[in-house]
Amino acid sequence: MLKRFAAVTAALCLTLSTLTASAGAASCFPRYTGSSGSIAAALESLGADSSYANRTKIAAANGISGYRGTAGQNTRMLELLKTGALIDPSAPETSDSRFFPAYTGSSPSIAAALSAVGAQSSFSYRGEIAAANGISGYSGTAAQNTALLELLRQGALLKPGSSAAPAPSGGLTGANLSRVSFIRQDKNTCKATAAAMAVNVLLGWSRYSTVDMIYSGVLCRSLEGELYTGSDGNTYRTTYKTDGYVGSLSELKGAVDAALSSGLPIVAAVNSAASHHHWVVVVGRDSGGDYLIVDPARSGSGSMADQVRSMTSAGYSFGLADYAQPHYGYISFQRR
């Protein structure tokens, strides 16, 4: 679970390094696209100081304590650098009101740390903070609180009601959207069709069809825990929050923003005046901050990239509206 939260942290830094640094936090190094397995060589190729002393500072800024230049520590920094998520401690700091001020104290308590930066620290408010940062089902566990504290230390903890800055599609979505065929749904198969397209984006080719996502007549079989090997060679685990899952709007938006920041597709529940129960694939955000979607109900063919349009222009809002209480489901993917 901590790996999942670490991925969220890295994804936030990747988005912010392109657009704006978080409050009190340093920007990230440019993304390393070379093939060297050496962190020193990778830093040098970007024009950065690769000395042991500076690598020690970089490690500390990225939560790697007690740096000794071990293979594990260097590999971790190289992984962050390859995703554009390695914090540069020498970069100038800027301010962004969407984030809590960075916590510089030593307390291991997220409640104490929030109080120290002048924020509310109640359990209910921490739940709102968690949802805004893509951590669903907050119950105050040690892992959840540690993830929040790590974000707060980096100045990358979003305030409730905020969202990460708009960013174009990147990662696997940006690489594979034009390689994967658009699939038009049959009647009542929108979720299964959207799920098939989303998984195909991870893989980088049109491997799955709507029928592959249907089991024993169920319109979309549960994909919870399913593992897929992405076109980047990494393994991704599926989170299936649908069917009778109620959730909340803040949780759904947090999950969508976390997915997009990681360059991954996400299947989301939406509604419109024409359909109170529908599912689409969210693939990015436009320059105005509007979500970009691929709608399986849309007529057309070609690649998924040919079918991208804004959620607003399609007339959709998040959530299923055909229940007494709105349901905010989604199908997302996390790198293992």
Side-chain angles (χ1 to χ4, degrees), residues 5-22 25-31 61-62 76 80-81 83-89 91 98-99 133 150-151 154-158 164-165 167 257-258 261-262:
F5 295 148
V8 174
T9 304
L12 281 169
C13 188
L14 175 58
T15 301
L16 295 173
S17 67
T18 307
L19 298 157
T20 180
S22 59
S27 298
C28 298
F29 288 101
R31 182 177 180 181
N62 286 272
R76 175 58 182 155
L80 291 172
L81 190 62
T83 60
L86 187 68
I87 295 173
D88 179 0
R98 295 168 303 167
F99 297 85
N133 287 272
E150 288 176 354
L151 289 171
Q154 296 179 31
L157 188 66
L158 279 165
D257 289 338
S261 295
S262 298

Side-chain angles (χ1 to χ4, degrees), residues 79-126:
E79 288 176 349
L80 291 172
L81 190 62
K82 286 183 175 180
T83 60
L86 187 68
I87 295 173
D88 179 0
S90 64
E93 297 180 353
T94 60
S95 178
D96 190 326
S97 61
R98 295 168 303 167
F99 297 85
F100 290 103
Y103 174 62
T104 58
S106 58
S107 174
S109 165
I110 181 61
L114 286 169
S115 296
V117 298
Q120 297 180 46
S121 61
S122 67
F123 179 86
S124 60
Y125 190 59
R126 295 202 306 275

Side-chain angles (χ1 to χ4, degrees), residues 208 223-229 235-238 334 336:
Y208 292 98
L223 301 176
E224 178 64 31
E226 289 283 335
L227 301 178
Y228 298 99
T229 301
T235 300
Y236 293 87
R237 183 182 187 280
T238 310
Q334 295 79 38
R336 291 186 71 197

Side-chain angles (χ1 to χ4, degrees), residues 310-321:
S310 72
M311 199 161 91
T312 298
S313 68
Y316 290 120
S317 299
F318 282 127
L320 305 179

Side-chain angles (χ1 to χ4, degrees), residues 123-182:
F123 179 86
S124 60
Y125 190 59
R126 295 202 306 275
E128 294 180 29
I129 296 172
N133 287 272
I135 301 173
S136 61
Y138 180 77
S139 59
T141 66
Q144 291 171 331
N145 287 336
T146 297
L148 293 175
L149 186 60
E150 288 176 354
L151 289 171
L152 187 61
R153 290 185 187 280
Q154 296 179 31
L157 188 66
L158 279 165
K159 298 176 181 178
S162 301
S163 62
S169 301
L172 292 183
T173 302
N176 297 331
L177 208 61
S178 62
R179 301 177 183 176
V180 175
S181 297
F182 169 74

